[in-house]
Amino acid sequence: MASLIACPHCGPRPREEFSVRGDAAPLRPAPDAAPEAWLAYLHARENPRGPHREHWRHEGGCGRWLVVARDTATHEVFSVTDVQAAARSAAREGRE
Amino acid sequence: MTAFRLPSGGRIDRARPLRFTFDGRGFEGFEGDTLASALLAAGVGVQGRSFKYHRPRGPLTAGSAEPNALVTVGTGGRREPNVRATTLMLSEGLVAESQNRFPSLRLDLGAAAGLFAPLLGAGFYYKTFMWPAPFWEKVYEPLIRRAAGLGRAGTAPDPDAYAKRWAHCDLLVIGAGPAGLAAALTAAAAGAQVILADEGETPGGGLLDLRPGDGPDPAGMLAAAGPNLTVLPRATVFGWYDDNVFGVLETVGKRRAAPDPHQPAERLWRIAAREALLCAGADERPLMMPGNDLPGVALAGAMRRHLNRHAVAPGARVAVATNGPSGHALARDLEAAGVEVAEVVTLDPAAPPGLAALGRGRVRGMRVDGRRIEADALAMSGGWSPLIQLACQRGARPFWSAERGAFLAPETPGLTPAGAARGLSGVDACLGDGAAAAVAALSRLGLRAEPAFPPAPEDCAPPAPLLPFRASGKAGRAKTFVDFQNDVTLADLARAEAEGYGDPELAKRYTTAGMATDQGRCSGVNAALALAHLRGLAPGEAALTTMRPPFAPVSLGALAGPHRGAHFQPVRRTPLHAWAEARGAVFVETGQWLRPAWFPAQGETHWRESATREARAVRASAGLCDVSTLGKIEVTGADAAAFLDRVYCNGIASIRVGRARYALMLREDGMVLDDGTVARLAPDRFFVTTTTAMAGPALAHMEFCAQVLWPGLDVRMTSVTDQWAQMAVAGPRAREILGRIVDADVSDAAFPYMAVAETTLFGGRVPARLYRLSYSGERAYELGVPAAWGPATADALMEAAGPGGLTPYGAEALAMLRIEKGHVTHAEINGTVTAADLGLGRMARREKPDFIGRAGLARPGLAAADRLTLCGLVPLDAGAEIRAGAHVLNPGEAPSLAADQGHVTSATVSPALGHAAALALVKGGAGRIGEEVVAWDGLAGTSTPARIVSPVFLDPEGARLRAPAAEAGPPLPPPAALAPTPALAGAGTGRFGAPGAAGLRLTVEPEGAVVQVFAAPGREGEAPLAASALPCPVRFAGPGRWLVFGGLAETPAGAARVDMSGAWVRIGLEGPAAAALLAAGTGARLDAEAFPEGASILTRWNRHALSLARLGETRWEIAVSRSRALDLWEALRAAGAEFGGEAVGP
């Protein structure tokens, strides 16, 4: 994994300042979604070789939850974005 | 002077003789010698014994690739094995020992191992010593292990400090030979920030091996460089990692006779370079000929270095066998120095002669096609192997260049080989190539540079690679070594090939070629060439084995850095730490926290004695427990109630202002994540607590919920753990005592169980929050005061209670009290239990539309009848004990996985009950009350018959919580000494570290009001609190968040605020070494471009979380949470010792 991660708020920092949670792809199902949807959300994960999006938290810095898009084979980091900021701007665009 | 030391010349200082011992014998060398050169000068040609066959060996090289001359240096905690004598700079009083010999280097009984060589060949441990089978483990292996091997490590603790450092640069140049020097000078002249790292004592590399006048002078070249070139001598780049971050090991005080006590032994650098050039040069290849390991046989370049740099002649009459210019250059320099050259044999790869080194114990000559050449030293050169290891550490595979006769590194972005590292030869060609590589690297960064040296042709065509030589007759029967350090011969490789292990990776594992401490530096290419030859392939068709970091050995001390002993990890202290310490508390580590475990009274010798007394005092009168370590989070915002209702499984939205509720947080899979209390301070403001252990993870989880799952909710949260000194006052007298200092009405009518109030103490003198919660089952309160007020408040409570009325109690008594009440901790909440398993199933409000874990709870398995559920256990024999970890079995069953009924999670001897009481998770346990079982403790070897009971051992109705008790006592007059205690009251002050001008000055900023301000929702991107807008310091606390020191009269419109006074402590750091001290712990960029004056960041410094602000060119401010402040202060002083400094206390 990358040695440095460029936090959108703090700039490039050593990976040790960050903690990883896992795959960012699964979306939390609706509360009353079918059990299958919930089981997939809880337990089923891809383990891709290549591009992958993950949730990371900059716990040693701003504390924000980020999506790190990276390549699991080459370790290249494509982008690092703030999850909440992205969701809110998407919601704003949706309204407009 | 000895016969081997030249009377003049070299880069040694004959005016500075240095005495040293080798194997107890005294010798003398000169400043500028290595141990190897000084021993060679003294006529000591045998400097080590080989790994397996104990063959006498002398230095093969004169540098870091050395496989033979490994010694142990130092004594006591500084004893270090396997040091290369060829790189160990001589120092006065150096104590060195040879290795792997018994009883002495000259007479080594282990050399008899050579007689058993046929038994010790390739893969011997798979084939020989097999019978009788038990002998392997008991007899053969211990014998072989003792006979084989390298030096032995010391066992005493290492007394030295080790440092770390981050650096960021435009260009990292690896190696300061001609190519590296030219590259560094070219780039530095163009204005780039350049770091030049070189393993040598002084920069120059191969230039230092030339006779004066044969090449440019490195010191003169560097003298002209500007301040943007940083030269790191004695620094080996050992690893190339993602994002062009390099690991570099700098030797500072290590292996010096009298190391400066304030300097670290080694410094581990991590250098983030935008571009890097690999100018590491090349290793000369030994000739694969019989007898090539005889002392006196060495590489031509090594002899040249010893001759020209150290003024040591290899012998009186030197023979040379070479396939390129290296041997001829040596012969020329030998003759110039007046040393006789017997003959230079130029080897033709197309028509290889029969070739062998002759001699026993020392080389006596060489046989070439049956002709004997007498000599007492033999130089060999089989061509050069570029040092491409770093460039191939991230997956790139080396390729064979027939043109260069060498393996080269493919093009890799970020790291470009130049000079000899890409196969060039000749000083001028390398100077020109280094300069051109720097121009190209800088152009990729958008910088223009002029080459400091012009392109130049090579001094000769690259020599073709040589294959193994054969010699006829007796000379041909001598061993041909390929890997000198691991004693792997050509015959071993041939056997590996014959037995089907001819693939280079397989041969490496079968023969151990390339697995020694040099990781195949001397042997890798020769092994690949030999294997290709043995398999009938062309040179290069057998690949090199995979290259991985580290390129050179790295000590564990350097990797650990400052994280050892007292600074192994950051330590957090509660506001009442010194208060408890003064009362004799024994502390226990809980994560990073130190918590009082018990307070021994006079005459008490066992922790249980103390804890039992403390627990009884709580139930009889009252006790005071420091619960400041519990995680505390303040949650605000219009949607705070709705948010917490989704985060906790029980009802939160229905909590009234001024009330608290016990609450369970689940994971999405339905398991319990953590428990705590939620107090509602205002309609849109909550104060929630977590357990000590889960404070960090619980906040991260809540932030995840807010930012990722429900990004649209208006909710902001922050940890206020450090802000409050939190004291539990528990026992029948709790209200009476508290009431004497708290201004609020504490009558049960005004302040019932689960009430919460923001109040004050002593008529408004101290702000406070009061919570009526109970963990012990007694009437109990938690009192929170701003951290600085903790000690004064605790003193006042003790005074209010009168002598013996209030007993401080620690974590052990707390555990006794909570087990008696069946309250759970993370011993029970172990990640596999649901609320129902804990008997708290009714807390999960399935009727709520959504909460974390709601869907997961519906999984059928979570309702299975045989789930482990919480119950109590008491021994049938009232005198027996049950220990945590014991397994529960049905009576008469033998212990087995199948028979396992569960296990004991917590156990104590209950002071209230007078016998053992334990909590256990047992299959269907809650429904088996009254059953007899056995608590089987496999570790203690005991089986204790026990009965399953309710987990609530004491007062199941909760009557004690609300039992009538004395009303508040008369108000206590404010004590004369009622004052806050500064966080750094006990900090060490005065001069520290290196003497002389202080590089650092540490100061403590006065404590005062601190407010955390959150931007209005949707306006996080704006900066309503830009530093200039307010007269007080404003620091970045995350996007849309600021820490305001000095208070804030008005909250900006739409913004939210949380008072955090006392939660943060500011430390001033000033001085010329301030940035270096910061770079010792943080990887954030600190240069003025990335970090201008007035800016502030959040980062970690050696695992300490902190905020960092730049106040001036060399002035910084560190803000750290209060519990970490004292430890950080001490860590800063420890890491700052190398610079020297002054610490000024509060």
Side-chain angles (χ1 to χ4, degrees):
Chain A
M1 181 46 208
S3 301
L4 301 171
I5 295 175
C7 171
H9 308 298
C10 304
R13 294 297 178 82
R15 175 194 48 201
E16 292 80 6
E17 288 194 0
F18 299 80
S19 57
V20 65
R21 179 185 163 107
D23 194 348
L27 295 177
R28 190 170 186 265
D32 292 312
E36 292 72 23
W38 274 100
L39 289 179
Y41 174 69
L42 285 173
H43 304 299
R45 292 292 180 274
E46 297 296 322
N47 184 19
R49 178 186 167 85
H52 195 37
R53 287 160 50 83
E54 289 167 330
H55 281 131
W56 287 70
R57 181 169 183 250
H58 191 191
E59 59 177 14
C62 60
R64 299 290 293 182
W65 280 98
L66 310 168
V67 168
V68 175
R70 67 184 187 100
D71 190 304
T72 58
T74 65
H75 299 184
E76 184 185 354
V77 174
F78 307 117
S79 69
V80 186
T81 47
D82 184 298
V83 180
Q84 188 173 35
R88 284 185 170 174
S89 73
R92 267 198 303 276
E93 277 162 25
R95 278 200 302 274
E96 280 161 11
Chain B
M1 297 289 164
T2 66
F4 295 95
R5 178 75 78 184
L6 301 177
S8 64
R11 294 172 183 270
I12 53 169
D13 185 352
R14 288 176 176 76
R16 299 186 64 186
L18 301 170
R19 282 161 303 173
F20 67 99
T21 68
F22 180 63
D23 283 342
R25 248 182 87 194
F27 292 95
E28 203 173 86
F30 294 115
E31 179 82 29
D33 262 325
T34 62
L35 175 64
S37 73
L39 286 172
L40 286 174
V44 180
V46 178
Q47 299 183 5
R49 286 274 173 174
S50 74
F51 178 75
K52 202 155 75 174
Y53 303 126
H54 291 246
R55 292 167 69 94
R57 293 272 172 86
L60 178 70
T61 73
S64 58
E66 178 57 33
N68 289 340
L70 303 184
V71 297
T72 298
V73 293
T75 52
R78 292 202 173 98
R79 181 185 167 86
E80 185 189 6
N82 309 332
V83 176
R84 290 154 288 185
T86 46
T87 58
L88 176 63
M89 296 310 292
L90 204 61
S91 55
E92 178 66 27
L94 177 80
V95 176
E97 291 167 39
S98 58
Q99 301 179 161
N100 203 29
R101 82 289 189 260
F102 178 83
S104 75
L105 193 54
R106 288 174 66 186
L107 173 69
D108 179 8
L109 296 180
L115 303 177
F116 302 108
L119 290 177
L120 295 169
F124 75 88
Y125 32 78
Y126 304 122
K127 294 185 289 202
T128 50
F129 303 103
M130 299 301 271
W131 185 90
F135 269 44
W136 174 254
E137 205 173 310
K138 297 263 163 54
V139 181
Y140 300 141
E141 189 186 352
L143 270 177
I144 291 168
R145 284 214 183 276
R146 201 171 317 145
L150 302 164
R152 310 231 175 275
T155 52
D158 186 338
D160 289 319
Y162 291 80
K164 293 199 179 188
R165 186 80 64 84
W166 270 93
H168 302 261
C169 63
D170 295 319
L171 182 69
L172 171 67
V173 181
I174 300 159
L181 284 168
L185 292 172
T186 298
Q193 292 296 325
V194 183
I195 296 177
L196 173 60
D198 184 79
E199 63 175 11
E201 187 73 11
T202 47
L207 292 176
L208 303 174
D209 301 342
L210 305 177
R211 289 177 66 81
D214 282 1
D217 170 39
M221 292 166 78
L222 286 171
N228 50 335
L229 171 62
T230 305
V231 182
L232 287 183
R234 300 184 299 278
T236 303
V237 181
F238 63 80
W240 181 35
Y241 302 100
D242 290 334
D243 303 301
N244 242 29
V245 173
F246 292 83
V248 184
L249 182 68
E250 180 193 3
T251 305
V252 187
K254 208 176 183 93
R255 299 174 210 113
R256 310 230 152 214
D260 181 339
H262 303 296
Q263 294 301 314
E266 292 175 323
R267 186 179 287 120
L268 188 87
W269 290 79
R270 274 170 291 176
I271 299 179
R274 296 172 70 199
E275 285 284 338
L277 297 178
L278 181 60
C279 306
D283 278 338
E284 200 163 22
R285 289 198 286 266
L287 296 178
M288 287 184 276
M289 62 178 171
N292 60 355
D293 75 324
L294 282 167
V297 180
L299 295 166
M303 281 193 187
R304 196 171 178 215
R305 174 172 294 182
H306 280 140
L307 183 79
N308 291 340
R309 205 190 275 198
H310 303 295
V312 179
R317 189 178 144 85
V318 185
V320 181
T322 180
N323 77 332
S326 174
H328 296 285
L330 169 69
R332 203 168 51 237
D333 290 355
L334 284 170
E335 280 171 351
V339 180
E340 186 189 348
V341 177
E343 189 171 327
V344 179
V345 178
T346 304
L347 303 163
D348 179 0
L355 196 66
L358 306 175
R360 253 180 92 89
R362 165 94 204 174
V363 69
R364 297 282 172 231
M366 173 166 62
R367 186 174 292 279
V368 184
D369 280 339
R371 185 167 60 90
R372 185 182 170 103
I373 301 169
E374 297 292 332
D376 64 351
L378 171 56
M380 56 179 174
S381 178
W384 295 83
S385 301
L387 285 167
I388 54 171
Q389 286 88 338
L390 275 178
C392 297
Q393 283 181 351
R394 290 171 62 199
R397 303 292 303 184
F399 69 93
W400 177 258
S401 162
E403 182 208 347
R404 296 271 143 210
F407 284 100
L408 300 180
E411 274 187 36
T412 44
L415 179 62
T416 311
R422 69 178 189 97
L424 299 186
S425 70
V427 169
D428 292 334
C430 288
L431 286 167
D433 194 50
V439 171
L442 261 56
S443 81
R444 289 192 287 273
L445 302 179
L447 292 170
R448 270 182 60 86
E450 290 298 320
F453 293 87
E458 293 183 74
D459 57 2
C460 69
L466 295 172
L467 298 174
F469 294 92
R470 291 159 175 273
S472 53
K474 207 171 133 196
R477 291 207 292 273
K479 285 189 172 67
T480 298
F481 282 88
V482 178
D483 186 324
F484 290 72
Q485 199 176 135
N486 262 358
D487 267 355
V488 179
T489 64
L490 192 59
D492 289 328
L493 290 178
R495 187 183 305 191
E497 203 280 326
E499 292 178 2
Y501 298 98
D503 176 88
E505 294 285 0
L506 296 177
K508 172 178 175 174
R509 283 148 186 84
Y510 201 60
T511 66
T512 74
M515 289 164 80
T517 65
D518 68 352
Q519 290 290 289
R521 253 183 88 172
C522 254
S523 59
V525 173
N526 268 353
L529 291 173
L531 285 168
H533 174 67
L534 290 164
R535 300 167 74 191
L537 304 173
E541 285 188 20
L544 293 180
T545 54
T546 305
M547 293 159 185
R548 302 182 180 88
F551 167 66
V554 181
S555 71
L556 291 176
L559 294 172
H563 302 293
R564 54 190 289 220
H567 298 292
F568 176 68
Q569 64 168 2
V571 174
R572 300 179 73 179
R573 292 178 175 86
T574 75
L576 292 174
H577 185 88
W579 186 89
E581 213 168 24
R583 278 156 188 78
V586 175
F587 291 90
V588 60
E589 282 181 31
T590 308
Q592 295 183 342
W593 286 101
L594 291 178
R595 295 176 71 183
W598 67 92
F599 294 79
Q602 204 152 27
E604 289 174 351
T605 54
H606 193 275
W607 67 268
R608 189 179 277 170
E609 243 182 303
S610 309
T612 302
R613 171 185 50 75
E614 293 164 17
R616 285 200 174 118
V618 171
R619 301 226 185 272
S621 173
L624 170 65
C625 186
D626 181 1
V627 293
S628 305
T629 61
L630 292 180
K632 308 176 201 71
I633 300 167
E634 207 147 308
V635 185
T636 71
D639 297 322
F643 170 74
L644 291 174
D645 219 38
R646 297 189 201 175
V647 168
Y648 289 97
C649 73
N650 51 322
I652 302 296
S654 56
I655 301 174
R656 284 179 290 141
V657 173
R659 288 290 182 275
R661 189 170 287 173
Y662 177 68
L664 276 184
M665 213 183 257
L666 307 186
R667 299 193 314 219
E668 200 71 272
D669 64 359
M671 303 300 171
V672 180
L673 174 67
D674 197 33
D675 67 345
T677 55
V678 177
R680 192 165 201 168
L681 304 173
D684 61 351
R685 182 181 296 266
F686 292 81
F687 174 86
V688 311
T689 66
T690 72
T691 57
T692 300
M694 291 298 280
L699 179 61
H701 168 71
M702 288 169 67
E703 291 279 18
F704 183 83
C705 294
Q707 295 174 29
V708 181
L709 299 184
W710 306 304
L713 291 184
D714 172 17
V715 58
R716 270 75 59 85
M717 68 201 80
T718 191
S719 165
V720 292
T721 303
D722 286 73
Q723 185 183 355
W724 299 98
Q726 194 93 347
M727 289 159 273
V729 181
R733 287 190 61 202
R735 179 171 61 186
E736 176 203 340
I737 297 166
L738 265 171
R740 297 194 67 191
I741 69 165
V742 176
D743 296 334
D745 179 0
V746 293
S747 68
D748 281 5
F751 203 72
Y753 183 54
M754 285 294 180
V756 178
E758 294 188 270
T759 177
T760 50
L761 310 181
F762 297 112
R765 292 274 296 274
V766 181
R769 284 182 186 171
L770 190 64
Y771 313 82
R772 188 163 169 197
L773 311 167
S774 180
Y775 198 48
S776 56
E778 298 299 318
R779 170 184 287 275
Y781 302 81
E782 281 186 21
L783 176 64
V785 293
W789 288 99
T793 305
D795 278 338
L797 285 168
M798 296 296 282
E799 195 183 331
L806 187 61
T807 302
Y809 66 102
E812 293 297 344
L814 191 69
M816 290 174 165
L817 295 165
R818 70 103 186 161
I819 292 172
E820 288 172 345
K821 286 297 296 177
H823 289 315
V824 293
T825 68
H826 282 284
E828 287 77 31
I829 305 175
N830 60 12
T832 70
V833 299
T834 65
D837 296 339
L838 298 173
L840 303 170
R842 284 188 307 175
M843 284 184 73
R845 304 293 290 269
R846 297 294 302 277
E847 67 274 19
K848 288 202 290 185
D850 190 12
F851 61 84
I852 299 286
R854 183 177 179 272
L857 270 182
R859 293 183 297 161
L862 298 194
D866 65 345
R867 284 192 62 80
L868 299 176
T869 56
L870 186 73
C871 58
L873 285 184
V874 291
L876 298 186
D877 170 2
E881 275 194 42
I882 297 174
R883 293 208 314 181
H887 276 258
V888 178
L889 300 168
N890 286 323
E893 293 257 40
S896 72
L897 261 184
D900 189 25
Q901 296 297 303
H903 60 275
V904 177
T905 53
S906 307
T908 189
V909 176
S910 159
L913 305 175
H915 58 73
L919 298 178
L921 289 168
V922 175
K923 281 183 184 169
R928 293 167 66 177
I929 306 288
E931 272 187 36
E932 283 186 19
V933 291
V934 171
W936 171 74
D937 184 339
L939 287 177
T942 58
S943 289
T944 310
R947 186 184 313 282
I948 297 179
V949 296
S950 156
V952 185
F953 296 91
L954 187 76
D955 184 26
E957 303 79 27
R960 300 179 71 93
L961 283 173
R962 299 177 180 82
E967 293 292 337
L972 186 76
L978 188 69
T981 306
L984 288 167
T989 57
R991 277 297 309 231
F992 60 88
L1000 302 167
R1001 190 177 145 87
L1002 286 173
T1003 53
V1004 182
E1005 298 294 318
E1007 291 176 25
V1010 186
V1011 182
Q1012 183 155 161
V1013 178
F1014 299 87
R1019 292 173 62 181
E1020 287 84 1
E1022 301 168 27
L1025 290 172
S1028 55
L1030 288 166
C1032 50
V1034 176
R1035 305 286 176 245
F1036 173 79
R1041 279 192 193 199
W1042 298 270
L1043 273 178
V1044 183
F1045 290 91
L1048 187 64
E1050 274 180 53
T1051 310
R1057 62 189 282 169
V1058 173
D1059 179 70
M1060 299 193 79
S1061 300
W1064 290 84
V1065 175
R1066 286 182 298 155
I1067 296 171
L1069 172 65
E1070 194 179 348
L1077 174 61
L1078 292 171
T1082 177
R1085 272 181 65 183
L1086 302 172
D1087 55 287
E1089 186 193 332
F1091 202 148
E1093 207 173 305
S1096 61
I1097 64 168
L1098 291 166
T1099 186
R1100 280 208 187 128
W1101 183 88
N1102 281 338
R1103 303 181 194 166
H1104 298 263
L1106 47 77
S1107 143
L1108 184 62
R1110 185 177 210 140
L1111 308 182
E1113 198 190 330
T1114 59
R1115 274 179 62 219
W1116 303 82
E1117 174 207 271
I1118 297 167
V1120 60
S1121 54
R1122 187 184 198 90
S1123 61
R1124 298 177 167 97
L1126 184 59
D1127 189 54
L1128 174 67
W1129 178 271
E1130 299 305 336
L1132 285 169
R1133 293 204 316 153
E1138 60 172 296
F1139 311 107
E1142 188 185 9
V1144 185

